Amino acid sequence: MSWSWGIIITITIILTWMWYFLLYHPSFGEVHYEQLRELRKFKTGDMILFHALNNVNAMFFGSYYGHLGIVWVDPCADTYTPYLFEAAGTTDMPILQHHNANGIFLTPLENRIRKYKGYVFYKELERPIPESICDNFRHFINYAHKNMSYNYNVFSSCLQNKCGIKQFDMGTNCAEISILSLIKLGVLPISLLDDPPFLALSWICGLSEMEKNRYLTPVYVIDHPF
């Protein structure tokens, strides 16, 4: 009898976990991509959060969001073009001209959003980052592009962080490279380099109040005009 109840409880926990991270959708406001672009809302340091409909990665990371990237807008560019800076796996993915085979990408944000199979959310940084810092951020992007690569052992990295045996290194993932980006941009403290958060994806996606800035509540991005 005890074994039966144990199995029932285990299955209930698994199903509840799957429902919460895969099927339960937060009640957020909605905004059209074109509206955000026309108002030039996207700025360096903003987050783009993703919830996929073609994989179950989020369930293993303990996060509704299975992926994220950091927005970068070149302050020296003649035209307003938001980009998404991210780390992602390249397995079974066609490598296009602007892609990095090591999985460190800088992609026009519009292209990234419109091709994504799932829900996309915009998480706005309340106060803009100084233009000089945004311009300097390009050096970190170039460095990461040349020297870093996507680490497929994401769960193992989480455990190593928790046990204090791993700091940030050249093998990275979407959460870690986003944290490094926000440290470089002055949004997060440099002390995180020595004490990385456990379950970094869930942690960074949940960021709100910080010492010098804060993130607003995410909004669902509608990427079509209807």
Side-chain angles (χ1 to χ4, degrees):
M1 187 69 174
S2 59
W3 279 102
S4 298
W5 275 109
I7 293 174
I8 292 173
I9 291 173
T10 300
I11 292 175
T12 300
I13 292 173
I14 292 174
L15 292 177
T16 302
W17 183 273
M18 292 177 64
W19 172 82
Y20 186 78
F21 290 117
L22 298 179
L23 303 176
Y24 168 75
H25 300 298
S27 179
F28 290 143
E30 300 179 352
V31 63
H32 287 270
Y33 172 82
E34 293 298 337
Q35 180 182 0
L36 291 171
R37 180 178 173 81
E38 288 174 6
L39 295 174
R40 298 197 169 196
K41 292 287 287 182
F42 296 114
K43 61 185 181 299
T44 299
D46 291 342
M47 291 188 201
I48 304 297
L49 311 177
F50 299 89
H51 179 83
L53 295 178
N54 59 347
N55 66 61
V56 295
N57 292 343
M59 182 180 70
F60 299 105
F61 302 149
S63 170
Y64 170 79
Y65 307 104
H67 185 65
L68 87 156
I70 302 298
V71 175
W72 180 66
V73 179
D74 186 350
C76 300
D78 295 330
T79 58
Y80 175 72
T81 305
Y83 289 86
L84 187 70
F85 180 52
E86 61 184 326
T90 59
T91 303
D92 299 325
M93 186 185 80
I95 304 299
L96 304 179
Q97 185 176 1
H98 65 277
H99 284 162
N100 179 337
N102 290 329
I104 309 300
F105 304 144
L106 183 67
T107 311
L109 183 57
E110 181 173 355
N111 296 352
R112 189 68 173 88
I113 289 178
R114 294 192 186 281
K115 292 182 179 180
Y116 187 72
K117 297 178 180 179
Y119 298 101
V120 178
F121 300 86
Y122 170 56
K123 191 168 183 177
E124 182 182 4
L125 192 63
E126 183 178 48
R127 292 186 291 278
I129 294 169
E131 189 172 291
S132 59
I133 297 179
C134 295
D135 183 46
N136 186 52
F137 184 54
R138 75 171 74 241
H139 299 298
F140 175 69
I141 293 174
N142 292 336
Y143 175 85
H145 195 270
K146 293 177 182 178
N147 297 282
M148 302 179 76
S149 61
Y150 184 76
N151 178 9
Y152 288 87
N153 297 318
V154 178
F155 187 72
S156 174
S157 294
C158 290
L159 291 178
Q160 291 177 37
N161 288 345
K162 181 64 174 177
C163 296
I165 60 176
K166 176 184 181 294
Q167 281 75 43
F168 293 106
D169 52 29
M170 296 299 102
T172 189
N173 54 56
C174 67
E176 290 183 356
I177 204 167
S178 295
I179 291 173
L180 289 173
S181 296
L182 296 183
I183 291 174
K184 183 67 175 179
L185 290 168
V187 176
L188 292 177
I190 196 170
S191 59
L192 284 173
L193 291 175
D194 297 319
D195 187 22
F198 180 56
L199 294 178
L201 179 61
S202 178
W203 182 85
I204 190 171
C205 289
L207 272 180
S208 54
E209 298 290 336
M210 297 166 291
E211 183 177 349
K212 298 180 180 179
N213 213 328
R214 73 185 184 104
Y215 278 101
L216 306 182
T217 302
V219 291
Y220 170 48
V221 180
I222 303 172
D223 63 348
H224 53 75
F226 304 106

